[in-house]
Structure formats: structure tokens, C-alpha cells
Amino acid sequence: MMETIEQFLESKKIRVTAMRLLIYKFLAERQVAVTLSDIENTFEKADRTTLYRTIKTFEDKAIVHQIDDGTGITKYALCEQGCNCEIETDLHLHFHCNNCNQTICLTEHKIPQIKVPDGFVSENINLVVKGICDKCSGQ
Amino acid sequence: MMETIEQFLESKKIRVTAMRLLIYKFLAERQVAVTLSDIENTFEKADRTTLYRTIKTFEDKAIVHQIDDGTGITKYALCEQGCNCEIETDLHLHFHCNNCNQTICLTEHKIPQIKVPDGFVSENINLVVKGICDKCSGQ
DNA sequence: CCAATACCTGCAACGGAAGTGCAATTATTG
DNA sequence: CAATAATTGCACTTCCGTTGCAGGTATTGG
Ligand SMILES: [Mn+2]
Ligand SMILES: [Mn+2]
Ligand SMILES: [Zn+2]
Ligand SMILES: [Zn+2]
């Protein structure tokens, strides 16, 4: 029934390595989007490049999606099951807290239909809401 | 009636210099958002830093707004009259063309109301639509 | 009009983040 | 077990944004 991480990675044609398992687990246990530096700080023994390329592999195989929250630093989060990143970046919205600087996937909150002028073709939408998160608003 | 650029800058407490007039005119005559490199390439005699600081001044004085279109490179555009960038980044949406790589302010298209979960406070929204622009769609 | 001051500009340098080439190590296949 | 393929680590590069400082230019007020 419940497939292991190893099985999951293999199903996505990603070879299982110690590094990849560690990084996958790290992403899975965090609720917020992470930067490459976050990962670097967590796995100090590993080389930057390896971490970088691991995330890139995950992205290519569509189990991680990239988030541009406007801080200038790319963040990453595991895709939901059934997410269609390969086709278009998934259309849930992201929330960036101006206080704790964390970015959260609001996977339940889909992006509404956006009208564009005649002649423009919309393929993809990035929507980031900035403000104060639930933890920081003391609520 | 019609105020000159000089008068406009002074009204915003920006001292008029040759450089600032040139960059202002450059921004004014372009319909698309520009990068710092765009400006650098246009004014090759001027120093990178001066151009950077000129844009920064314009931004601080709220006559230019910054656009993060997800390319990783910050873009800039003149604010509309009555734009309230000082308070919150103006809430029109931006369109990034995946073909010609240009980013356009859709100042007529305001961002719809976005619901966030309980406990979250929305202060600001960045919405970028990506796709094919009117020129590139051959329409 | 001149001196003091404030502001603007250019040069050099720095830092962070992203990305690449190559060689060494490790895993996979037959 | 040998041949092959993929992964990892190291060194290095590039790009963008940013800052410190010093020289130049404009503004002010006496
Ligand atoms: Mn997400
Ligand atoms: Mn705009
Ligand atoms: Zn927060
Ligand atoms: Zn286009």
C-alpha cells in the first residue's frame, strides 16, 4: 500500500542515493519552501554543487517545484501528489511572510482566472501574496 | 498646464541632473519594463553605479516601480500617475512574454481579491502572467 | 561673489547566488 | 569481474546587486 521513498524515487526514474534520500526527507519534513542555502547549512559535509544538482534533478523529474517569492532567492518545495509541474507550474498560490521571511505553499488555494488583453496568451501564472503569516500574526 | 519633466522631478524632490533627465526620458519612451543592463547598454558612457543609483532614487521617490517577473532579473517601469507604490506596490498585473522575453505593465488590469487562510494577513500581492504577448502571437 | 556645505558621479571592490568543466568516485549492467 | 554509466566534489566563472570612498559639481547663505 504505502510506498517507500525509495520506491517513489524509482517510479520517477530517479536513482536512489544516500544524498538524494536525505534531501528528499529534508524537504518532506519541512512545511515551508527552502533555499539552496538552507539545504547547504543542513548538510555541511556535502558539496554545494551536489545539493544544487540534486534539487535540479528533482525539479527535472517534476517532484519539486521552484518558487519565486520576490526575495531574489529561489526557493523549492515538494510537489503535491498529482501536481502537473511538467506541463505548467502548479497554480496554487504562495505566501511570503514579511516578518519571518518564510514562504509557504498554499496548495489548497488555487489561482483565480486572470483576464489578459486581446492578443495575449496566458500560459502560466505566478502569484505571491506577501504579508504576515499565521504564526507571526500571533493567531 | 503641461508640466515639464524638470518640474515634475522637482515636485518629487528629485534634483534635476543631465543623467536623471536622460534616464527618465528613456523609461518614458519605452512601453516595456527595463533592466539595469538595458539602461547600461543605452548609456555606455555612464557608470553602472550611477545608473543603479538613479533608478534607486526614482524608486525611493516613488516615480518608478520594481517588477519581479520571475526571470531573476529585476525590471523597472515608470509609475502611472496616481500610483501608490509608497504604500503598497501597485496592484496591476504584469505580463512576461516567454518568446520575446519582454515584460509589460498591464496597468488597466487590476489584481482581483485573493483569499488567504485564517491567521494570514495579506499586505501586498505580486502577480505575473507568463505566455505570449500580442506582438509575438502575431495578432 | 566666495566659502561652506550638500549632493552627485565614477572607480574599485565585494558578496551572494547560479552555473559549468573536469576528474575521481561510486553504482549498474552484462 | 570488466566495461560502462551516473553521481559527486573541487575549482573556477559569470552575473547581478550593492557599498565605500574620493573627486567633481551644484546649492546655499553670508
Ligand atoms: Mn508551491
Ligand atoms: Mn507595472
Ligand atoms: Zn511569519
Ligand atoms: Zn513577446
Side-chain angles (χ1 to χ4, degrees):
Chain A
M1 198 68 231
M2 180 70 178
E3 71 179 346
T4 63
I5 298 176
E6 285 87 342
Q7 285 167 342
F8 172 69
L9 292 179
E10 275 166 5
S11 78
K12 294 287 183 177
K13 309 246 182 275
I14 301 168
R15 283 207 193 159
V16 176
T17 69
M19 206 64 252
R20 286 171 181 178
L21 279 174
L22 284 170
I23 294 176
Y24 184 90
K25 283 174 191 161
F26 176 72
L27 291 171
E29 74 197 9
R30 304 217 80 195
Q31 283 85 358
V32 299
V34 302
T35 65
L36 226 37
S37 310
D38 291 336
I39 303 177
E40 278 174 55
N41 294 334
T42 308
F43 303 102
E44 293 188 323
K45 295 160 295 184
D47 187 77
R48 244 171 41 78
T49 318
T50 305
L51 303 173
Y52 167 74
R53 287 200 259 234
T54 300
I55 283 286
K56 206 105 198 282
T57 301
F58 286 177
E59 221 190 322
D60 291 346
K61 303 292 183 178
I63 68 169
V64 153
H65 68 274
Q66 205 170 319
I67 302 159
D68 174 10
D69 62 9
T71 55
I73 298 157
T74 307
K75 297 187 179 174
Y76 304 90
L78 284 184
C79 294
E80 298 292 291
Q81 289 193 325
C83 157
N84 273 350
C85 290
E86 322 94 84
I87 302 163
E88 45 185 343
T89 55
D90 61 354
L91 296 176
H92 60 265
L93 62 93
H94 293 118
F95 188 93
H96 176 75
C97 178
N98 291 325
N99 185 244
C100 64
N101 206 34
Q102 289 194 329
T103 297
I104 304 166
C105 293
L106 296 178
T107 46
E108 303 303 307
H109 291 65
K110 301 306 177 190
I111 294 178
Q113 188 72 16
I114 302 291
K115 273 205 167 170
V116 289
D118 283 350
F120 288 79
V121 182
S122 162
E123 292 176 343
N124 197 326
I125 297 174
N126 183 36
L127 204 171
V128 180
V129 179
K130 302 189 186 200
I132 309 297
C133 77
D134 52 346
K135 279 166 198 136
C136 290
S137 75
Q139 169 55 15
Chain B
M1 197 67 232
M2 178 73 179
E3 72 179 345
T4 64
I5 298 176
E6 284 88 341
Q7 285 168 341
F8 172 69
L9 292 178
E10 275 165 6
S11 79
K12 295 287 181 176
K13 310 244 182 276
I14 301 169
R15 279 207 197 159
V16 177
T17 69
M19 205 64 255
R20 288 172 179 177
L21 279 173
L22 285 170
I23 295 176
Y24 185 89
K25 283 175 190 159
F26 176 72
L27 291 171
E29 73 196 10
R30 302 216 81 194
Q31 283 84 359
V32 298
V34 302
T35 65
L36 225 39
S37 311
D38 291 336
I39 303 177
E40 277 174 56
N41 294 335
T42 307
F43 303 102
E44 294 188 323
K45 295 161 294 184
D47 187 76
R48 245 165 48 78
T49 318
T50 305
L51 303 174
Y52 167 74
R53 285 200 260 234
T54 300
I55 283 286
K56 205 106 200 286
T57 302
F58 285 177
E59 220 189 322
D60 291 346
K61 302 293 182 179
I63 67 170
V64 153
H65 67 275
Q66 204 169 318
I67 302 159
D68 175 10
D69 62 11
T71 54
I73 299 157
T74 308
K75 297 186 179 176
Y76 304 91
L78 284 184
C79 295
E80 298 292 290
Q81 289 193 327
C83 157
N84 273 350
C85 290
E86 321 96 84
I87 302 162
E88 46 185 341
T89 54
D90 61 354
L91 295 177
H92 60 265
L93 64 93
H94 292 117
F95 188 93
H96 175 75
C97 178
N98 290 325
N99 185 246
C100 65
N101 207 33
Q102 290 193 327
T103 297
I104 304 166
C105 293
L106 296 179
T107 46
E108 303 303 308
H109 291 66
K110 300 306 177 191
I111 293 178
Q113 188 72 18
I114 302 290
K115 273 205 164 172
V116 291
D118 283 351
F120 288 80
V121 182
S122 163
E123 291 176 343
N124 196 326
I125 297 173
N126 183 36
L127 205 171
V128 180
V129 179
K130 302 189 187 201
I132 310 296
C133 76
D134 53 346
K135 281 170 196 132
C136 290
S137 75
Q139 169 57 12

